[in-house]
């Protein structure tokens, strides 16, 4: 396996690091002040992000996640995703590379009709709108997709959607104009052929955004919402790929997406380690800098070891996807979804500890990052589901 970046990726990486230093990191306090003044219930985009988007487009740092647009392999994009993870609230959006839009754009790119692409994919790629992916439900254990109870029922030239969803990321953002909804179109069919995906515009009658849910008390700008669908009627042409294709589409969506998520999480871990070391070098306790005390030195070393190991596993997974396909990488895709959030949360926890009371405050980005890393052990499938998948592959082999 060769993890050497292509010349194009090296160029992007250099440009991206310069963009982070010159524009993204200085924008963080501006973003935070705007949101604090606007209040937690305001999900508008702070204007500084539009400025970042314009600058990123000017530099050609746009839609890098999509190989057919950027010319980058999954392995090439991985270190770029890691860099954006160092500022998770700003950098992915600035590059038009933030979830759930990335996964939705991949779905429309791979499975959408020409009309669906023109209506939804083009404005998403252009950064003019945002989207959401509606799968998780409050009334069932959504870690098992076969439990999903939202119905997608054919009625003449339309489909009618009924059900409830929650933790739908991005739904509170006023720019979110369309939902990819996963539901059951054939409840009596084979387990993996019961589900379908359909496009539901935000303004469709019967679609209600009930509330935006906080994560450990934090309200993200894009929100994580509970939705209610009551006799929501959309044209039959809004169905993606065909009836019964929902599960297969979901699997195709999650492969590269897990690389993106995991590398961004490692970016958070790297920034946490930077802050840990800086704090340890500059704080003195009992007459000695923290960085010279054995317990803190162990925390620094353990963090470096864990990050390097996790990164190698993600890069191996990206290489497998590039060279052998998502199916051949399925064990590793599950493995990184377990391993990386654990590492990120552990490194962030150590950094918080070294920062003392400052670590649990909003004076540093650690507390919010920790909330994201801990939540990652649940979204896109909880650890237990992925451990089960790894174990099954191991026993079959």
């Amino acid at each position: 396996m060769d993890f050497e970046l292509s010349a194009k990726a090296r160029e992007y990486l250099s440009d991206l690091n310069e963009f982070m230093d010159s524009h993204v990191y200085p924008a963080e306090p501006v973003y935070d002040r705007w949101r604090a003044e606007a209040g937690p219930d305001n999900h508008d985009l702070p204007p500084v992000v539009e400025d970042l988007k314009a600058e990123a487009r000017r530099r050609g740092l746009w839609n890098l996640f999509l190989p057919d647009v950027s010319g980058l392999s999954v392995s090439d994009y991985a270190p770029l995703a890691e860099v954006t993870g160092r500022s998770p609230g700003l950098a992915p959006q600035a590059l038009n590379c933030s979830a759930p839009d990335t996964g939705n754009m991949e779905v429309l790119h791979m499975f959408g009709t020409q009309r669906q692409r023109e209506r939804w994919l083009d404005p998403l790629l252009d950064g003019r709108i945002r989207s959401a992916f509606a799968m998780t439900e409050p009334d069932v254990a959504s870690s098992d997709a076969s439990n999903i109870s939202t119905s997608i029922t054919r009625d003449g030239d339309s489909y009618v959607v009924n059900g409830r969803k929650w933790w739908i990321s991005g739904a509170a953002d006023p720019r979110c104009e369309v939902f990819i909804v996963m539901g059951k179109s054939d409840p009596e069919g084979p387990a993996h052929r019961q589900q379908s995906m359909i496009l539901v515009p935000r303004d469709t009658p019967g679609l209600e955004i009930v509330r935006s849910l906080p994560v450990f008390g934090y309200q993200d700008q894009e929100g994580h919402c509970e939705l209610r669908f009551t006799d929501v009627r959309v044209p039959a042409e809004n169905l993606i790929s065909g009836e019964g294709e929902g599960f297969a589409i979901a699997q195709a969506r999650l492969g590269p997406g897990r690389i993106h998520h995991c590398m961004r999480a490692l970016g958070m871990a790297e920034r946490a380690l930077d802050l840990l070391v800086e704090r340890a070098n500059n704080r003195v306790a009992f007459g000695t800098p923290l960085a010279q005390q054995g317990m803190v030195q162990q925390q620094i070393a353990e963090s470096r070891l864990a990050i390097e190991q996790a990164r190698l596993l993600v890069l191996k997974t990206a290489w497998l996807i590039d060279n052998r396909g998502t199916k051949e990488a399925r064990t590793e895709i599950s493995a990184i979804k377990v391993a990386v959030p654990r590492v990120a949360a552990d490194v962030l926890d150590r950094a918080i500890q070294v920062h003392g009371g400052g670590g649990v405050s909003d004076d540093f980005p650690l507390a919010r990052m920790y909330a994201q890393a801990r939540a990652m052990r649940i979204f896109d499938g909880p650890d237990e589901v992925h451990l089960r998948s790894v174990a099954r592959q191991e026993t079959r082999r």
Side-chain angles (χ1 to χ4, degrees):
M1 293 182 182
D2 183 3
F3 299 147
E4 183 69 27
L5 292 177
S6 68
K8 178 181 285 189
R10 287 196 299 272
E11 184 177 343
Y12 275 132
L13 187 58
S14 175
D15 291 345
L16 177 57
N17 277 313
E18 199 281 324
F19 175 61
M20 297 289 290
D21 289 337
S22 63
H23 287 78
V24 175
Y25 298 133
E28 288 178 341
V30 179
Y31 177 92
D32 290 339
R33 281 196 301 271
W34 193 95
R35 291 214 62 223
E37 292 170 3
D41 295 329
N42 187 326
H43 295 280
D44 290 336
L45 185 70
V48 69
V49 183
E50 291 293 352
D51 296 337
L52 292 175
K53 288 168 63 178
E55 179 63 19
R57 291 195 76 159
R58 188 188 70 79
R59 292 167 175 254
L61 298 171
W62 193 256
N63 291 331
L64 301 180
F65 73 96
L66 197 59
D68 287 349
V69 173
S70 66
L72 298 174
S73 65
V74 178
S75 300
D76 277 339
Y77 178 65
L80 303 174
E82 178 179 336
V83 171
T84 66
R86 295 177 65 92
S87 184
L90 287 179
Q93 271 212 74
L95 275 61
N96 209 39
C97 292
S98 57
D101 289 328
T102 49
N104 292 342
M105 285 189 271
E106 286 167 341
V107 165
L108 290 168
H109 179 72
M110 290 186 291
F111 302 103
T113 64
Q114 182 64 30
R115 186 165 181 172
Q116 289 170 352
R117 293 191 192 112
E118 290 173 356
R119 178 66 183 88
W120 302 114
L121 179 58
D122 289 350
L124 282 167
L125 287 169
D126 199 43
R128 287 182 278 120
I129 67 169
R130 296 211 60 183
S131 62
F133 182 70
M135 186 177 83
T136 305
E137 299 184 1
D139 296 327
V140 299
S142 298
S143 55
D144 178 359
S146 66
N147 281 338
I148 288 173
S149 60
T150 294
S151 63
I152 299 175
T153 307
R154 184 70 184 249
D155 183 23
D157 294 333
S158 303
Y159 282 95
V160 179
V161 183
N162 281 284
R164 293 172 66 206
K165 300 286 185 181
W166 74 338
W167 294 111
I168 308 309
S169 299
D173 192 318
R175 298 168 300 156
C176 178
E177 292 193 12
V178 66
F179 297 86
I180 294 181
V181 180
M182 186 160 171
K184 283 190 176 177
S185 53
D186 183 9
E188 306 304 319
H192 291 158
R193 294 288 303 171
Q194 296 179 2
Q195 303 86 7
S196 296
M197 289 190 188
I198 196 162
L199 291 155
V200 178
R202 181 193 189 99
D203 58 1
T204 307
L207 169 54
E208 177 189 0
I209 298 178
V210 178
R211 57 175 174 153
S212 180
L213 296 149
V215 178
F216 286 109
Y218 289 105
Q219 275 283 3
D220 288 345
Q221 181 263 311
E222 303 95 334
H224 308 280
C225 293
E226 178 181 349
L227 311 178
R228 184 178 292 118
F229 297 83
T230 305
D231 295 330
V232 174
R233 183 177 294 271
V234 294
E237 65 185 26
N238 284 24
L239 194 73
I240 299 175
S241 187
E243 286 195 16
E245 297 293 330
F247 188 84
I249 296 171
Q251 293 303 107
R253 182 184 191 273
L254 289 174
R258 295 244 164 87
I259 301 293
H260 307 167
H261 268 315
C262 288
M263 291 303 284
R264 283 193 293 265
L266 289 174
M268 290 195 295
E270 282 285 4
R271 189 166 185 193
L273 182 53
D274 284 351
L275 291 169
L276 191 166
V277 171
E278 181 181 356
R279 186 77 164 187
N281 280 329
N282 294 326
R283 299 294 267 203
V284 175
F286 307 106
T288 307
L290 295 179
Q292 294 179 21
Q293 299 189 20
M295 293 183 69
V296 176
Q297 288 180 340
Q298 181 175 0
Q299 290 176 316
I300 293 170
E302 294 284 3
S303 297
R304 172 51 61 206
L305 293 175
I307 290 171
E308 295 299 327
Q309 293 174 77
R311 182 185 291 114
L312 285 171
L313 182 56
V314 181
L315 291 176
K316 174 194 175 185
T317 308
W319 185 92
L320 286 170
I321 292 173
D322 284 333
N323 290 275
R324 299 182 186 173
T326 302
K327 186 175 181 181
E328 289 297 313
R330 60 189 179 278
T331 298
E332 286 78 8
I333 289 169
S334 289
I336 62 174
K337 181 56 174 61
V338 176
V340 172
R342 286 180 177 177
V343 167
D346 285 348
V347 174
L348 282 156
D349 187 70
R350 296 182 189 116
I352 288 169
Q353 194 71 14
V354 170
H355 280 74
V360 297
S361 76
D362 286 340
D363 286 4
F364 300 90
L366 297 169
R368 180 180 286 274
M369 285 182 173
Y370 181 84
Q372 290 179 261
R374 182 60 185 86
M376 193 177 173
R377 293 184 57 195
I378 298 172
F379 67 68
D380 275 1
D383 286 1
E384 292 76 11
V385 169
H386 296 293
L387 289 168
R388 177 174 178 263
S389 296
V390 172
R392 286 174 128 186
Q393 293 300 320
E394 221 29 55
T395 52
R396 285 172 185 163
R397 182 161 56 241

